[in-house]
Amino acid sequence: MTAMVEARSVCKAYGGVEVLKGVNLTVERGEVTCLIGPSGSGKSTLLRCVNHLEKHDAGELRVDGELVGYEYRDGKLYELNDRQICAERSQIGMVFQRFNLFAHLTVLENITLGQVKVKGRSTDEARLKARELLARVGLDAKERSYPSQLSGGQQQRVAIARALAMEPKLMLFDEPTSALDPELVGEVLDVMKDLARTGMTMMVVTHEMNFAREVADTVYFLDAGVIEESGDPKVVLTQPQSERLKMFLSKVL
Amino acid sequence: MTTNGDAPLKVVPVRHIGRWISGGVALLVIAMIVHTIFSKLPTGQYACSGAKPNRLCHAKTEWRFSWDIIRHYFFTSEILHGVVLTLLLTVLAMAIGIVIGLVLAVMRLSPNRLLSATAWTYTWFFRGTPVYVQILLWYNISAIYPQLSLGVPFTSIAFWHVSAVTLFDPFRAALVALALNEGAYMSEIARAGIISVDEGQIEAASAIGLTRRQTLGLVVVPQAMRVIIPPTGNEIISMLKTSSLASAISVVETLGAATNIYSANYEVIPLLLTASLWYLFWTTVLSSGQFYVERYFARGSLRSPPPTPLQRLRHDAIGIAGKFRTTRGLEVAR
């Protein structure tokens, strides 16, 4: 069985600035992986490369054994077209720091849009699934609300339900609690913990060290585009080896 | 609730003397204008009755604004026909203009440089020349393109052709000119709307697997509408009036009908006023329509939509009634 995510010397530069300098990482199926590190360390970029929101420049990136954004045929790499990339992405859920719920759609419509337009489900089927997921994130009473009428925590829970509605094999979380008021962080983390318990493979960019310690199977510490340290969070977060991680932990803990 | 069970305290509102004075001045000016609009002028003629020596004479007068003549012409078939043509030109030119504008806006934002440059050049040309000149150009297009044909480019093979004179009759020439010109303005409006949509919305749409086209149609454009609608409303209202330029190439729309009539009977002012009143009427209709369309597309972005004029009127009426009820006041805890 291949790993869910496999990165081999992945590089990415923005206009000459190297953000990822050869990152190696493996996410096993059913595992929760947390990416930690100072801002600008490349952890969000790495996450966005996994579902091809950003194109990596060099290295090999595989999700579920398949190359991301390319196809390997007759000794050449062929770039995938829009439709093929969309098909790849529809199997990877993503939750953003700023929620990014569709502002013109109600909560229910937010969750049914992808199911109907991408998965080709009927509206009734999609609604049924959406209501089931809303109940799971504790928001079944809010299906008619617009995102602007919800608190940040509620919006993020809807965003998680929207991603889950596509029945992804992998969930990506890009600092899901960083834009939230402190008292709302817990409700989102609870939903994520529940999700981890169901065996969902998750990659989480986070500053919540407690979450990483409690939930993650593996934690990766990125700094300046390279992975400095990785391993069991109970070891990495309590007995940091490198000076950089020691300094980082002293600031966030 | 008062803590000691006393009667509620009376609240004395702040007196705004300046507001009262400026309000009074405004009211006076309005009264003067309304008075002149509905005043009469002496005609210089006299009407007399009875025989000498008891003969009574008084100066004849007529409405300054010739209301009787306006009323006479307001619903004549020629004017009504012109009004229909004005509406037809406005609706068709706007419909075509909006489609052209959306296509151009998407082209402008395309990563393909050739497409975006083409869209930019279109806007440059059609915004850079007066619409009046464009109407005259399309009307006389047969001078440079006598025949239009459909066939293989750069060969003489043609499957179908038409003479430009028959294709561009006055109405169609005006319609094409107005629509193409409008397309240039609408493209800028649509572009502003599209770039106003948060990048995160597009990323979220991509992340659930929507294609680029689906993202544009299902996520970006519906949200861009909130920004696009208000200036588009202005454009429609502006088009309603700009369409009067078509009268220059003998399209008998509202103004054309009015000028046709007054060139025969010299009632210039009453007929120009008749045309103006028709334009004002449709402008009013369009503005109120715009309000409700804006309200619809603002859903999701406002926690509570703005009140409709009726709701506001009701609210004002309650407020004014409240001012006269002197016993009404806040209850202050003492």
Side-chain angles (χ1 to χ4, degrees), chain B residues 33 64 78 83 96 105 130 204 207 226 229 231 239 273 277 307 322:
Chain B
I33 292 170
R64 187 192 290 270
E78 199 167 3
V83 171
I96 301 169
R226 196 171 57 84
I229 291 288
M239 175 64 76
L273 286 175
L277 287 173

Side-chain angles (χ1 to χ4, degrees), chain B residues 56-284:
Chain B
L56 281 169
C57 287
H58 61 89
K60 267 193 178 172
T61 58
E62 61 181 11
W63 289 107
R64 187 192 290 270
F65 274 65
S66 321
W67 292 115
D68 41 349
I69 305 174
I70 291 172
R71 201 173 62 194
H72 175 253
Y73 282 106
F74 204 72
F75 292 113
T76 54
S77 66
E78 199 167 3
I79 291 285
L80 287 181
H81 196 257
V83 171
V84 170
L85 222 51
T86 291
L87 291 179
L88 208 59
L89 266 179
T90 306
V91 170
L92 290 178
M94 278 313 297
I96 301 169
I98 288 169
V99 173
I100 294 175
L102 278 173
V103 172
L104 286 174
V106 173
M107 281 169 71
R108 262 307 276 286
L109 299 168
S110 156
N112 184 332
R113 293 289 289 274
L114 196 61
L115 283 184
S116 73
T118 309
W120 182 88
T121 312
Y122 180 101
T123 309
W124 170 78
F125 178 78
F126 284 97
R127 258 195 340 182
T129 50
V131 63
Y132 187 38
V133 174
Q134 289 173 31
I135 289 175
L136 294 175
L137 271 174
W138 282 105
Y139 187 49
N140 295 296
I141 197 81
S142 60
I144 32 178
Y145 296 108
Q147 204 164 61
L148 302 173
S149 50
L150 209 65
V152 183
F154 305 113
T155 65
S156 55
I157 305 165
F159 314 119
W160 177 85
H161 56 80
V162 64
S163 119
V165 181
T166 36
L167 185 63
F168 290 104
D169 66 8
F171 179 79
R172 274 178 253 166
L175 177 60
V176 167
L178 291 171
L180 293 187
N181 183 262
E182 189 54 38
Y185 285 92
M186 281 308 303
S187 79
E188 287 299 293
I189 292 171
R191 191 170 70 97
I194 289 172
I195 56 182
S196 78
V197 177
D198 181 31
E199 191 71 27
Q201 297 283 314
I202 299 163
E203 285 185 354
S206 310
I208 58 169
L210 292 177
T211 62
R212 232 173 282 180
R213 192 170 307 167
Q214 284 175 321
T215 302
L216 193 69
L218 297 168
V219 175
V220 178
V221 172
Q223 293 190 57
M225 286 312 252
R226 196 171 57 84
V227 174
I228 292 175
I229 291 288
T232 303
N234 285 340
E235 288 296 306
I236 298 176
I237 289 166
S238 160
M239 175 64 76
L240 185 82
K241 293 165 295 159
T242 310
S243 68
S244 65
L245 291 174
S247 64
I249 55 169
S250 70
V251 177
V252 191
E253 40 65 74
T254 309
L255 179 65
T259 50
N260 276 359
I261 299 173
Y262 76 60
S263 59
N265 67 5
Y266 304 110
E267 297 283 8
V268 179
I269 292 290
L271 279 149
L272 287 179
L273 286 175
T274 304
S276 303
L277 287 173
W278 269 113
Y279 284 117
L280 275 174
F281 172 74
W282 287 113
T283 308
T284 312

Side-chain angles (χ1 to χ4, degrees), chain A residues 19-56:
Chain A
V19 187
L20 296 177
K21 302 172 190 164
V23 171
N24 294 306
L25 159 151
T26 308
V27 178
E28 296 295 343
R29 283 160 203 277
E31 265 196 7
V32 176
T33 300
C34 282
L35 303 175
I36 59 169
S39 63
S41 59
K43 52 197 193 307
S44 284
T45 306
L46 178 62
L47 199 71
R48 292 159 62 85
C49 284
V50 172
N51 74 346
H52 212 53
L53 279 180
E54 306 284 354
K55 236 188 208 172
H56 56 284

Side-chain angles (χ1 to χ4, degrees), chain A residues 179-196:
Chain A
L180 295 176
D181 290 338
E183 81 270 24
L184 303 177
V185 169
E187 62 188 61
V188 172
L189 291 181
D190 286 345
V191 169
M192 290 169 63
K193 283 176 197 166
D194 272 348
L195 191 58

